[in-house]
Amino acid sequence: MRIGVVVNPDAGLGGRLGFKGSDGRAKEAREAGAVDRSGPRMQQCISKFLDLQQSSLNRMGVNPTFVAWTGRMGGDWLDGVDYEQRQPSPSESTADDTAALVLDLVTANVDAILYAGGDGTTRDIVNALEGHETPLIGVPAGVKMHSGCFATTPNAAAEVLLAFLQGDLMVAITEVMDLDEETYQRGEWKVRMYGEAWTPSSPRFMQGAKEQVERASEAETIEGLANHIGNLIEDDPELMVIWGSGGTLRRMGEHLNVELTLLGIDIQHKGTVYADLNEAALLEHLTTYDGPRLLLLSPMGGQGFLIGRGNLQLSPDVLRAIGLDSILGVATPSKLLGLSSVRIDTGDVTLDEEFQQRRFVKLLQGYRTTRVIRVLEA
Amino acid sequence: MSRLFDHYGAEGKGYSQPDALLSASELNLPSNMARKQLPRWPRLSEPEMVRHYTWLSKRNFGIDTGFYPLGSCTMKHNPRVNEVVAQLPGIADIHPHQPEHQLQGLLSIYYEMQEMLAICAGMDAVTLQPVAGAQGEFTAVRCFQEYFRHRGEHHRTKVIVPDSAHGTNPASAAMAGFEIIEIPSQEDGRIDLAALRAVVGEDTAAMMITNPNTLGLFEQDIAEASSIVHDVGGLMYYDGANFNAILGRTSPGLMGFDAVHYNLHKTFSQPHGGGGPGSGPIGVKEHLAPFLPSPIVDRRAPSGEEKNQAVDEYWYTWHTPEHTIGKVQQWHGNAGAVLRCWAYYRRYGKELRTMSEHAVLNANYLRHAIHREAKAAGVDHLFVDGADTIVAKHEFTLSLGPAKESLGISAMDVAKGLLDMGYMAPTVYFPLVVPECMMIEPTETESKETLDTFAKDFCKVLQLDAETLHNAPTTTPVRRVDEVYAARNLCLRHPFDDE
C-alpha cells in the first residue's frame, strides 16, 4: 500500500493568537511568536506508527510505502522513514501548493492520504481531489477541526492508519465542515458543510456474542436505505420527499435515479425533482400541497447536528410547514458509531423546545430498520 | 497436524461399502448432477479412525473439560441421567412415522413437557416443534402476524427491540416481514420507558425483550413496559435466553408477556447444539394458542380399543390448532432434546427455583471475588463493572476499557490469556453497549473453589504485560486465530496436496 503524506506547515499557527484560522496569516503569526504545530504533530503520528508497526499489533506485517515531497510539506517530519521522494516543497506555501501536492500524490497512485492540518487544509485537499475517492486520515493540527476525517489525536491517527492497512476498517463518507464565513462576518460562530470526503472509520467486523460478523459495506447499506425510501414512494406515489444535504442522501438518490445536490435542499414529488431550493421556494412547494411529506436529514460531522449546520434554507417556517412528525433522520452504521444523541439548533427557541419535548427523533439505519435517538438538551 | 483426508491408503483398506441398490443408470440422475470422479474418501482401518477422533476430542475444550463461563450461553453441566432416559431403547428406537397408538408413552412425555413448560413461564399453551431459540422467535412472531391478520389489524407492521437485544430478535422479526424499531437503553442499561412511549402507536405489532437483560440486570419496569405496549394493542415477546435467572421466582406470564421461547439447553439441560440437535419450544397465552404450529399433543379420555393401549388414564393425540401457521419443522421437533430436558425437569421439579437462585448467587459471588482478588493483586484499576448495580442476575459484565486505554490490553487479549490458564474465555464484545466488554456467566453447577480459583487466575492474566497478551494463547493446540483473515478467506473444503 502507498500512503501519501501532506503537511500544511502553517496550519494551527493562529490558534494561540486567537485567530479563527491560519489561512493567509502565517507570516503574521510567526512574527507574533507562534511555533510550528502541524509538522511536529505529523512527526508524532509517524513515530507512533513506526512503534505500532514493530509491535505484535501489526499481525499482518504491513509495511507501507510513504510518498511525500521533501522539505517542510512532508519529508522534514518523516524521521527514520525511507519514503518515496517526489519533489521539494516551496519555502513558503499556500492553499495552491497543498492542492498541487495532493494532485501529485494522486498521480503517484497513493491508496490513502495522511495529512496534518485543520478544517481549511481539509477543504483544500478535498477541493483538489475533485471527486477522487482517496481516503483521508487527518492528524489534528489546526485551529478548527470539525471535519469527520480527523482522528482524535496524532497517536490515534497512527492507530487508524495501521488498522486501515490491515484491512480492519472500511472507508465511509464523512462531511467536510468548516466555519461558515458569511455568518462569521455577522459575528456568529456557525459551522457548515463544505463537501464530502472518504475516510477509514467503520470497523469491518463486528464482534458478536459468539462470532465475528462481517458488516455490510457502506455501499450496501446505502442501497438498503435507498430501497426503503423507494418502497415508501411506491406505497404512496403522492409522497413528497424533501432531501436534505450530504453525501449519504445524495448516494441514496443515485440508487433511486434521482439527481440530488450535495449541499442544497431538493424536493422529489410525483416523479419530478426540484433541485437546490431556497427558503421561499421550499415554502411555496409546501404550502401549495397538503398531502404526505417526508424530510430526510443526515446528521452532520462528529457533533451529530441533525438540524442547524449549513442549511439555512431549512428555516423554522419551513420546518413547521413540513411538520415535526414528517422528519426522518438517515444514518449509516459508521455514522451511528459513537453517536448517542443528536443536536438540533433551528434558530428558533420555541421550535427547539418542541423538539426537545419529544426527546427522541427517528433515524433510518437500514432497510426497514429505524432507531430512535435522543435529542440533546440545549 | 494429522488430517483425516491425507490418509489415502491402499485400495481395499478400511470399511467396505455394500453394493449400491441401484446402478447410476437405474437412478436416472441428470448427467450434470452425476459425479465426474469418485470422491476421495480417506481409507482408514477402524483403529486409525478411532485414534483420529480420540485425538480430535483431546484438542477440544468443553464443559466436561473445564470451567466455561461463556456469558449469555449458560454452559451448565448436563446430568448424565438425562442420557440414560433419552437412550432407553423404547424411546431411542421410535420412528417418527409410527402411528399414534404405538407412541402413547412418548406422547404422554410430550404432553407433560408442554404442561410443565407452560406452568413455569405462566403461559397457557406450548409447542415443542421449534428446534432452536431463534426458530422459536420466528415461530412466535409468525403467530403474532396471524393473530393480527385474524383481527383485521394489517397495519401492525413494526416490532420494537431495545438496542441491547440479542441480534436474533430483530432478525426473526425482519424474516417474518416486520419493520424494526430500535430503542436506546438508559445509561444503566435498562429499558428507557420514555423512548418506548415515543415509538409505540397503532402500527406497533410487538416488543421483543429479554429479562434479565444482556447486562444481567432485571428490568424493574417490565410491567410498565408491558402495559405501554398492550395499551396500543401490541404484544409482548419474552426472549427466554436468560430465563435461568428467574425460574420459579417469577414468570414471563406474570410480567405481562404474551409469548416466550425456551432455550432448553440453557434453562434446563441438554448439550448445547453447536449446530447439532437443539430445541426452542415456545409458550403462548390463550389468545395466541389457536395459531401455534401443528401438531401439538392433546389428550382426551380413551375409548374402545384405546383403553387397552393407553399408558395412563388418557389417550394422547397429535392435534392441529384451529388457525395454525402450519409446520415449522419436519415431524415433531427434536425428540431427543425434549426427552433430556423432561428427565431434568422431572428430577428437580420445584427445586428448579433453588437451581436458579444458585445461578444468581454464583454470578454475584464471582463478581465480588474478582473485585476482591483484583484489589489484592493491585489490578483493580484495569476494569470496571459494565453496569452500575449492586446485585446482578445470572451473569455480569466487566469493561476492560481502562486496561485498553492505559496499557493497550483489550478484552480480546484478556480472553486469550484466560485460554492459556486452562479456561474457556468469557463472551467478549457483547453486549455492544459496554466498551471492551467481557460477559461472565458461571452457572449454578460450579463450586465456590472453582469460582475463587478463576477470580485469582483472572487477575494473574491482568498482571501480564501487553506484549505477552497480544501473543496469547501459547499453550492451546491452535494459537491466536486471525479472525479477520479467517472470515475473509473462507476455506470450505480440504485442500489436497496435489491440487
Side-chain angles (χ1 to χ4, degrees):
Chain A
M1 290 267 247
R2 295 164 62 77
I3 305 298
V5 175
V6 174
V7 175
N8 171 8
D10 297 335
L13 285 179
R16 283 172 54 190
L17 304 172
F19 301 172
K20 74 175 170 72
S22 311
D23 289 357
R25 303 181 73 175
K27 204 169 167 213
E28 188 189 342
R30 282 213 167 80
E31 276 163 9
V35 290
D36 273 344
R37 176 171 164 84
S38 186
R41 307 268 284 178
M42 176 61 83
Q43 222 164 9
Q44 191 188 334
C45 171
I46 291 290
S47 142
K48 174 74 181 178
F49 177 78
L50 295 178
D51 284 351
L52 289 172
Q53 208 186 351
Q54 295 309 317
S55 79
S56 56
L57 290 173
N58 184 5
R59 51 175 220 286
M60 314 281 274
V62 297
N63 187 21
T65 305
F66 287 97
V67 185
W69 282 4
T70 57
R72 57 199 294 274
M73 293 181 78
D76 280 1
W77 318 105
L78 299 177
D79 306 339
V81 178
D82 185 19
Y83 66 99
E84 187 178 309
Q85 305 183 357
R86 300 288 292 178
Q87 64 188 68
S89 313
S91 55
E92 276 182 34
S93 51
T94 63
D96 291 342
D97 297 304
T98 305
L101 167 52
V102 168
L103 286 179
D104 186 43
L105 292 174
V106 170
T107 316
N109 281 321
V110 297
D111 298 291
I113 291 177
L114 179 73
Y115 73 97
D119 282 335
T121 316
T122 313
R123 282 171 64 184
D124 295 340
I125 294 174
V126 168
N127 288 339
L129 281 174
E130 274 188 342
H132 281 282
E133 293 179 359
T134 312
L136 303 180
I137 303 168
V139 178
V143 178
K144 302 159 281 131
M145 284 149 302
H146 296 96
S147 298
C149 26
F150 283 112
T152 47
T153 60
N155 287 352
E159 284 176 26
V160 169
L161 179 60
L162 179 71
F164 171 66
L165 290 168
Q166 301 201 94
D168 296 347
L169 293 178
M170 290 193 290
V171 290
I173 310 163
T174 186
E175 291 80 27
V176 174
M177 317 279 289
D178 198 354
L179 204 60
D180 186 325
E181 273 127 32
E182 232 171 273
T183 52
Y184 184 75
Q185 301 299 329
R186 300 201 305 262
E188 290 172 47
W189 184 280
K190 283 226 172 202
V191 174
R192 57 168 270 211
M193 177 174 171
Y194 279 88
E196 57 175 334
W198 290 82
T199 190
S201 65
S202 173
R204 184 184 296 272
F205 289 89
M206 292 284 284
Q207 185 84 43
K210 294 164 197 167
E211 67 243 351
Q212 291 256 348
V213 187
E214 184 161 15
R215 300 183 0 159
S217 70
E218 183 93 343
E220 285 165 335
T221 307
I222 286 175
E223 193 181 339
L225 293 167
N227 288 340
H228 183 92
I229 301 301
N231 285 0
L232 292 181
I233 299 170
E234 264 170 43
D235 289 349
D236 184 357
E238 293 283 304
L239 180 69
M240 174 190 274
V241 180
I242 305 134
W243 295 85
S245 53
T248 308
L249 294 176
R250 194 180 63 165
R251 279 189 174 67
M252 286 166 62
E254 282 169 15
H255 279 285
L256 299 174
N257 292 318
V258 182
E259 199 172 318
L260 303 170
T261 55
L262 177 63
L263 300 174
I265 307 290
D266 313 315
I267 283 183
Q268 174 191 7
H269 195 204
K270 296 184 197 168
T272 311
V273 178
Y274 309 90
D276 204 7
L277 303 173
N278 60 22
E279 182 187 2
L282 283 167
L283 282 173
E284 170 73 22
H285 278 280
L286 288 163
T287 46
T288 53
Y289 163 75
D290 61 0
R293 71 272 317 269
L294 183 67
L295 168 63
L296 300 176
L297 291 171
S298 174
M300 291 278 165
Q303 289 98 15
F305 271 94
L306 194 62
I307 298 173
R309 282 296 175 265
N311 304 123
L312 295 174
Q313 312 94 305
L314 279 183
S315 66
D317 286 345
V318 171
L319 290 169
R320 285 208 171 87
I322 291 169
L324 266 55
D325 283 326
S326 303
I327 298 176
L328 180 64
V330 176
T332 56
S334 60
K335 265 274 164 55
L336 278 168
L337 222 63
L339 194 69
S340 59
S341 53
V342 290
R343 290 161 199 263
I344 286 177
D345 172 16
T346 62
D348 177 322
V349 182
T350 338
L351 192 56
D352 285 356
E353 272 171 12
E354 271 180 61
F355 273 106
Q356 271 150 26
Q357 271 159 17
R358 299 182 161 229
R359 296 188 52 194
F360 297 94
V361 289
K362 283 188 199 166
L363 286 186
L364 186 69
Q365 60 175 356
Y367 181 67
R368 293 170 69 87
T369 308
T370 315
R371 180 185 173 82
V372 292
I373 191 161
R374 287 185 192 95
V375 176
L376 207 69
E377 280 174 41
Chain B
M1 176 177 161
S2 156
R3 293 178 304 188
L4 191 65
F5 280 88
D6 289 336
H7 290 282
Y8 198 65
E11 190 83 44
K13 188 181 176 188
Y15 179 73
S16 312
Q17 301 271 2
D19 289 339
L21 292 172
L22 292 173
S23 69
S25 57
E26 282 169 315
L27 268 174
N28 220 0
L29 275 180
S31 60
N32 62 337
M33 293 180 76
R35 279 186 187 280
K36 301 284 178 291
Q37 60 187 56
L38 286 174
R40 296 174 68 160
W41 297 122
R43 290 173 184 154
L44 295 165
S45 63
E46 186 170 316
E48 285 168 334
M49 197 73 183
V50 169
R51 279 177 201 148
H52 174 78
Y53 283 110
T54 308
W55 171 80
L56 270 187
S57 76
K58 279 157 74 179
R59 291 161 65 89
N60 197 10
F61 188 94
I63 181 71
D64 294 345
T65 328
F67 185 41
Y68 209 119
L70 193 64
S72 177
C73 295
T74 319
M75 303 299 290
K76 56 165 79 168
H77 170 69
N78 295 295
R80 292 303 187 259
V81 64
N82 300 352
E83 301 302 318
V84 176
V85 171
Q87 285 166 26
L88 289 174
I91 285 173
D93 296 343
I94 286 173
H95 191 279
H97 276 335
Q98 276 176 253
E100 264 175 20
H101 71 267
Q102 293 179 2
L103 293 178
Q104 286 299 302
L106 182 75
L107 291 185
S108 74
I109 290 176
Y110 257 57
Y111 186 85
E112 196 169 300
M113 194 67 206
Q114 288 173 187
E115 291 293 292
M116 294 193 301
L117 289 177
I119 289 167
C120 73
M123 293 289 134
D124 299 318
V126 165
T127 171
L128 302 174
Q129 258 196 44
V131 294
Q135 197 190 12
E137 292 173 32
F138 176 73
T139 306
V141 291
R142 279 285 297 117
C143 290
F144 288 5
Q145 211 164 32
E146 287 307 313
Y147 167 81
F148 287 128
R149 278 180 191 157
H150 232 78
R151 294 165 60 93
E153 298 179 33
H154 298 268
H155 53 279
R156 296 198 179 270
T157 53
K158 307 239 160 92
V159 167
I160 302 162
V161 294
D163 60 2
S164 63
H166 288 183
T168 48
N169 291 175
S172 304
M175 232 174 102
F178 287 104
E179 260 185 64
I180 310 303
I181 302 185
E182 219 176 86
I183 56 171
S185 316
Q186 291 187 113
E187 267 171 28
D188 68 1
R190 290 190 168 94
I191 182 176
D192 187 335
L193 292 179
L196 178 59
R197 282 198 188 91
V199 300
V200 292
E202 59 178 30
D203 57 358
T204 302
M207 175 175 198
M208 301 178 83
I209 187 170
T210 56
N211 189 17
N213 64 21
T214 40
L215 290 166
L217 303 181
F218 190 80
E219 297 282 4
Q220 289 146 327
D221 293 329
I222 193 65
E224 177 77 20
S226 289
S227 55
I228 292 172
V229 172
H230 285 151
D231 284 352
V232 297
L235 296 170
M236 288 291 284
Y237 178 80
Y238 181 85
D239 179 323
N242 296 340
F243 197 19
N244 201 43
I246 58 166
L247 202 60
R249 274 271 169 191
T250 178
S251 77
L254 284 174
M255 298 175 207
F257 286 94
D258 302 280
V260 43
H261 82 253
Y262 310 81
N263 293 103
L264 293 192
H265 56 287
K266 292 185 181 184
T267 310
F268 304 96
S269 92
Q270 108 94 9
H272 281 48
S279 187
I282 62 166
V284 296
K285 287 275 181 66
E286 204 172 0
H287 51 283
L288 291 164
F291 305 95
L292 283 178
S294 71
I296 55 177
V297 179
D298 207 351
R299 71 181 185 189
R300 55 173 167 77
S303 60
E305 180 58 19
E306 290 169 358
K307 283 179 185 147
N308 301 326
Q309 291 169 334
V311 291
D312 53 27
E313 63 268 40
Y314 295 100
W315 186 254
Y316 298 90
T317 62
W318 293 117
H319 164 71
T320 300
E322 192 185 355
H323 305 300
T324 181
I325 59 164
K327 282 185 81 70
V328 296
Q329 181 65 23
Q330 61 184 352
W331 294 322
H332 317 306
N334 275 328
V338 173
L339 282 159
R340 286 179 178 88
C341 185
W342 174 81
Y344 181 82
Y345 202 139
R346 283 300 295 260
R347 166 71 183 78
Y348 290 101
K350 286 186 175 164
E351 288 302 306
L352 286 174
R353 173 180 161 139
T354 317
M355 169 210 86
S356 171
E357 285 167 355
H358 282 197
V360 173
L361 180 64
N362 269 4
N364 280 280
Y365 178 78
L366 181 57
R367 176 164 157 250
H368 286 274
I370 287 177
H371 281 293
R372 178 188 74 211
E373 296 301 331
K375 213 165 217 172
V379 291
D380 54 327
H381 60 290
L382 294 180
F383 61 91
V384 293
D385 281 324
D388 184 18
T389 180
I390 297 166
V391 182
K393 282 286 163 204
H394 63 304
E395 63 192 6
F396 61 96
T397 53
L398 297 177
S399 168
L400 273 299
K404 172 85 180 179
E405 232 156 79
S406 59
L407 303 173
I409 293 173
S410 65
M412 181 64 87
D413 292 332
V414 176
K416 300 295 185 193
L418 284 168
L419 297 185
D420 273 340
M421 304 292 281
Y423 299 104
M424 176 66 195
T427 297
V428 286
Y429 300 104
F430 183 80
L432 301 172
V433 289
V434 177
E436 294 298 321
C437 185
M438 192 162 255
M439 187 186 201
I440 303 172
E441 181 180 12
T443 81
E444 68 278 7
T445 53
E446 297 300 334
S447 68
K448 179 171 176 295
E449 289 69 31
T450 303
L451 302 181
D452 282 333
T453 315
F454 177 77
K456 283 199 178 78
D457 288 343
F458 181 82
C459 298
K460 276 186 200 154
V461 170
L462 284 179
Q463 291 174 67
L464 296 173
D465 64 286
E467 205 59 14
T468 307
L469 283 176
H470 293 330
N471 286 312
T474 55
T475 60
T476 48
V478 177
R479 297 282 301 272
R480 186 176 300 209
V481 178
D482 186 338
E483 283 158 337
V484 175
Y485 179 87
R488 217 177 304 163
N489 301 284
L490 290 180
C491 176
L492 299 174
R493 62 187 288 277
H494 178 76
F496 288 101
D497 289 341
D498 56 354
E499 281 180 344

